[in-house]
């Protein structure tokens, strides 16, 4: 098994580039299968890696279904419920969604689904742009430990973890590191 | 994703690093986008209380801070000099401590004395935002001017920025000078020698007393308001003479490069420092400054008010 050393402790490679590619390829097929009207779909990535994952899924959908589906960016930092309680402020990014959202299906795309709080903030942000017909959720990794009643519609890999463990997704275009998913034990 | 921002207060641009200034401008980009949404309100500062404490009169800065706070879901209280207990002899510090006892999280202060915001920032746990202190600084105005230049011209460095008017008594000028020189712009100050003394060259800017000489190379002309209410006779030539020598008249505007921006912090005195034709002309970005001021103030409130204290 591939290993990665950090200052604190060694990490275990859970997925490599090929595994990530296959997972996103499958998600693309599931999105095509479950959305009869693909043209109404918007893939809204959460910065930074969700945006890159959304771009890759859109590319696969273009390859398979020959349809250019729209992508966007949905910033959650200014919609979080823990401002003022964190030692460090999350960086805010501009959101960018194709408007109007009415009668469209917005699929929120993120790298790791954990407590669900980011997704809640994303839904809150989307609703400030309008009222889509439906909102769905895609995540490369679902690591459990939800704190809110939220579930993903499309999951690349279910990864049971302990709360103290850390999951790191690394994507070439974002991190200038080879594509990989790492698990760090505490 | 987190930031290296760790200031609870914004007192002036003089104390900020280039990275900190750029970070505020980038954060403002994100907040500007909120203004284009159907619902122009985000919950970022929900539950926080902001006190607009304006010991000097102001409409646009106060309103801009108020709207910025509303858009961030903070609660706002406005206190002006005449409605505060300062008129009953209470000291600034006691008034501020009372506001803190009411759990005010952010104090936006305008004061006629330079250093008043710093005085309070050192003594209060609340965030203190300087909304103009005497002739010292008006950091959010400086930031919104820089933001507007960067938005319209795509950069700030190596641009020639001309600031015209009463530089000596202008806090807007000082914040602009600090911010613009840090970001690599060339700044020229223009005005009567009584109001633009040579000493300003120590700040890394050029001083000129002949506006016609500098207008042809300007990328931005920022006209300061002639502050009738504060103008001391011995420094100021008289309105008519000022307009003749330094006003951006219709004729003088012909000296400008076609892509030169015309800016003004407002409120404008039409026919004094600027002709109506120029203020309402194609080169004017005066109303963009107002719109951008909202985004910049949202960014400042979010950054200073959002960190855990």
């Amino acid at each position: 098994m591939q290993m990665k050393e950090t200052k604190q402790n060694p990490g275990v490679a859970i997925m490599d580039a090929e595994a990530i590619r296959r997972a996103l390829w499958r998600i693309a097929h599931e999105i095509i299968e479950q959305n009869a009207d693909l043209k109404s779909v918007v893939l809204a990535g959460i910065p930074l890696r969700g945006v890159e994952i959304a771009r890759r899924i859109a590319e696969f959908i273009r390859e398979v279904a020959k349809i250019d589906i729209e992508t966007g960016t949905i910033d959650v930092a200014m919609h979080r419920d823990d401002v003022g309680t964190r030692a460090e402020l999350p960086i805010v990014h501009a959101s960018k969604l194709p408007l109007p959202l009415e009668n469209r299906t917005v699929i929120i795309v993120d790298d790791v689904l954990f407590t669900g709080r980011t997704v809640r903030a994303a839904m809150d942000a989307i609703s400030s742009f309008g009222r889509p017909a439906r909102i769905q959720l895609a995540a490369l990794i679902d690591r459990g430990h939800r704190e809110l009643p939220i579930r993903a519609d499309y999951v690349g890999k279910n990864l049971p973890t302990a709360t103290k463990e850390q999951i790191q997704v690394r994507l070439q275009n974002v991190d200038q590191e080879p594509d990989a998913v790492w698990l760090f034990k505490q | 994703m987190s930031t290296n921002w760790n200031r609870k207060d914004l007192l002036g641009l003089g104390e900020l690093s280039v990275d900190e200034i750029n970070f505020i401008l980038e954060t403002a980009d994100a907040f500007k986008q909120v203004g284009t949404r159907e619902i122009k309100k985000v919950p970022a500062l929900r539950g926080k209380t902001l006190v607009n404490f304006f010991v000097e009169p102001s409409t646009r800065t106060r309103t801009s801070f108020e709207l910025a706070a509303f858009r961030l879901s903070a609660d706002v209280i406005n206190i002006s000099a005449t409605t505060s207990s300062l008129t009953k002899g209470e000291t600034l510090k006691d008034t501020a401590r009372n506001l803190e006892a009411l759990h005010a999280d952010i104090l936006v202060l305008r004061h006629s004395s330079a250093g008043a915001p710093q005085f309070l920032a050192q003594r209060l746990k609340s965030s203190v935002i300087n909304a103009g202190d005497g002739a010292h600084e008006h950091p959010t105005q400086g930031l919104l001017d820089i933001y507007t230049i960067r938005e319209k011209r795509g950069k700030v460095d190596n641009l020639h920025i001309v600031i015209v008017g009463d530089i000596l008594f202008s806090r807007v000028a000082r914040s602009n000078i600090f911010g613009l020189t840090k970001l690599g712009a060339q700044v020229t100050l223009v005005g009567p020698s009584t109001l633009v003394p040579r000493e300003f060259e120590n700040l890394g800017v050029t001083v000129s007393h002949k506006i016609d000489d500098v207008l042809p190379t300007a990328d931005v002309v920022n006209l300061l308001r002639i502050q009738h209410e504060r103008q001391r006779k011995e420094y100021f030539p008289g309105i008519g003479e000022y307009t003749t020598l330094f006003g951006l008249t219709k004729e003088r505007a012909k000296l400008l490069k076609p892509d030169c921006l015309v800016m003004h912090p407002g409120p404008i005195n039409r026919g004094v420092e600027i002709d109506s034709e120029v203020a309402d002309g194609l080169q004017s970005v005066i109303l963009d400054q107002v719109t951008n001021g909202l985004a910049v103030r949202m960014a400042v409130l979010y950054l200073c008010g959002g960190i855990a204290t």
Side-chain angles (χ1 to χ4, degrees):
Chain A
M1 186 179 286
Q2 205 187 341
M3 302 288 278
K4 176 180 176 173
E5 293 286 333
T6 66
K7 277 172 205 157
Q8 304 87 26
N9 44 38
V12 179
I14 301 295
M15 294 173 96
D16 60 10
E18 178 55 23
I20 291 174
R21 199 195 65 80
R22 269 185 280 120
L24 298 183
W25 178 255
R26 183 169 47 74
I27 288 177
H29 279 85
E30 286 173 8
I31 289 174
I32 295 167
E33 193 179 299
Q34 295 200 17
N35 292 279
D37 183 12
L38 263 184
K39 285 199 180 98
S40 76
V41 170
V42 180
L43 294 180
I46 296 176
L48 299 168
R49 295 182 194 85
V51 177
E52 168 62 13
I53 292 172
R55 190 190 65 77
R56 294 186 188 186
I57 294 173
E59 220 165 71
F60 286 146
I61 292 176
R62 190 176 307 125
E63 215 175 307
V64 177
K66 314 289 177 222
I67 284 178
D68 274 325
I69 75 169
E70 289 191 86
T71 56
T73 300
I74 189 77
D75 182 73
V76 295
M78 56 181 97
H79 290 270
R80 293 191 64 104
D81 56 7
D82 55 0
V83 168
T85 62
R86 291 151 60 106
E88 289 184 325
L89 269 178
I91 294 179
V92 292
H93 297 268
S95 293
K96 209 177 150 207
L97 288 174
L99 297 176
L101 292 179
E102 275 63 22
N103 302 318
R104 306 204 66 162
T105 298
V106 179
I107 304 180
I108 299 170
V109 182
D110 204 0
D111 54 354
V112 180
L113 176 59
F114 186 24
T115 62
R117 288 181 192 269
T118 302
V119 175
R120 186 211 59 79
M123 288 192 283
D124 186 38
I126 289 166
S127 69
S128 73
F129 284 88
R131 187 177 180 276
R134 64 190 66 78
I135 299 178
Q136 300 178 346
L137 173 61
L140 176 60
I141 303 285
D142 182 351
R143 62 169 292 191
H145 304 287
R146 217 74 80 239
E147 292 169 2
L148 295 170
I150 282 169
R151 62 157 184 82
D153 299 274
Y154 314 99
V155 178
K157 186 179 180 67
N158 281 297
L159 191 64
T161 55
T163 6
K164 283 188 170 174
E165 289 170 331
Q166 274 194 351
I167 299 290
Q168 251 188 24
V169 174
R170 286 290 173 260
L171 299 174
Q172 184 72 53
N173 295 4
V174 180
D175 304 290
Q176 281 74 51
E177 269 180 52
D179 285 3
V181 177
W182 299 91
L183 171 72
F184 294 97
K185 310 248 179 208
Q186 285 297 322
Chain B
M1 284 170 290
S2 57
T3 70
N4 293 320
W5 183 268
N6 52 14
R7 290 177 184 274
K8 77 173 177 71
D9 311 303
L10 178 69
L11 304 177
L13 299 193
E15 63 181 18
L16 297 186
S17 68
V18 173
D19 284 348
E20 284 174 316
I21 293 173
N22 281 325
F23 184 62
I24 296 173
L25 300 177
E26 281 156 26
T27 304
D29 279 335
F31 283 111
K32 183 162 184 182
Q33 187 279 319
V34 173
T36 66
R37 297 186 191 179
E38 200 167 290
I39 297 168
K40 299 170 180 53
K41 197 176 171 101
V42 295
L45 293 184
R46 193 167 57 186
K48 299 263 183 187
T49 303
L50 176 140
V51 176
N52 261 330
F53 189 22
F54 279 62
V55 182
E56 272 193 334
S58 156
T59 311
R60 89 188 47 217
T61 304
R62 186 184 56 73
T63 312
S64 182
F65 269 111
E66 192 170 349
L67 195 51
F70 285 151
R71 291 203 170 165
L72 294 169
S73 305
D75 298 309
V76 180
I77 306 167
N78 287 305
I79 298 173
S80 65
T82 45
T83 60
S84 79
S85 293
L86 289 175
T87 54
K88 298 178 189 167
E90 191 179 48
T91 64
L92 177 62
K93 187 181 168 190
D94 282 334
T95 304
R97 289 183 60 170
N98 275 282
L99 296 173
E100 195 169 53
L102 292 169
H103 304 292
D105 301 287
I106 306 169
L107 183 65
V108 178
L109 179 70
R110 162 152 309 176
H111 202 280
S112 52
S113 298
Q118 184 175 13
F119 175 84
L120 290 183
Q122 288 165 346
R123 285 160 181 81
L124 298 179
K125 284 198 294 280
S126 318
S127 293
V128 176
I129 312 294
N130 181 3
D133 59 333
H136 176 226
E137 280 226 43
H138 190 349
T140 55
Q141 180 70 46
L143 287 167
L144 76 89
D145 289 345
I146 295 168
Y147 183 92
T148 305
I149 295 168
R150 175 177 162 275
E151 179 184 58
K152 300 289 173 189
R153 301 298 302 259
K155 62 166 194 172
V156 176
D157 61 308
N158 292 322
L159 291 184
H160 183 206
I161 319 281
V162 175
I163 306 176
V164 187
D166 171 2
I167 310 292
L168 189 58
F169 294 105
S170 171
R171 52 194 174 214
V172 175
R174 272 176 193 69
S175 289
N176 264 282
I177 293 166
F178 289 136
L180 290 169
T181 51
K182 281 179 193 199
L183 297 183
Q186 287 176 31
V187 179
T188 304
L189 309 176
V190 182
S193 55
T194 47
L195 298 172
V196 190
R198 289 272 166 212
E199 283 69 30
F200 273 99
E201 295 192 333
N202 296 333
L203 295 175
V205 301
T206 309
V207 166
S208 168
H209 306 303
K210 287 186 181 159
I211 190 168
D212 293 350
D213 291 355
V214 297
L215 288 184
T217 57
D219 295 305
V220 176
V221 179
N222 197 350
L223 302 155
L224 303 181
R225 184 173 69 91
I226 292 307
Q227 311 188 46
H228 311 288
E229 73 278 11
R230 247 189 269 198
Q231 210 47 257
R232 308 237 306 263
K233 280 200 187 79
E234 59 267 37
Y235 288 102
F236 192 68
I239 303 255
E241 192 183 342
Y242 181 85
T243 306
T244 310
L245 291 173
F246 300 104
L248 190 59
T249 57
K250 204 169 45 169
E251 294 71 35
R252 206 166 256 148
K254 290 175 187 157
L255 295 172
L256 297 173
K257 290 196 272 187
D259 61 349
C260 177
L261 305 177
V262 174
M263 302 176 68
H264 192 301
I268 59 177
N269 294 316
R270 290 173 184 269
V272 180
E273 66 266 357
I274 187 168
D275 270 358
S276 275
E277 288 84 348
V278 185
D280 305 327
L282 291 172
Q283 288 174 287
S284 165
V285 293
I286 296 173
L287 292 175
D288 297 275
Q289 288 174 268
V290 178
T291 306
N292 290 337
L294 192 55
V296 163
R297 291 186 175 109
M298 285 173 80
V300 168
L301 294 178
Y302 171 76
L303 292 175
C304 292
I307 56 170
T309 42

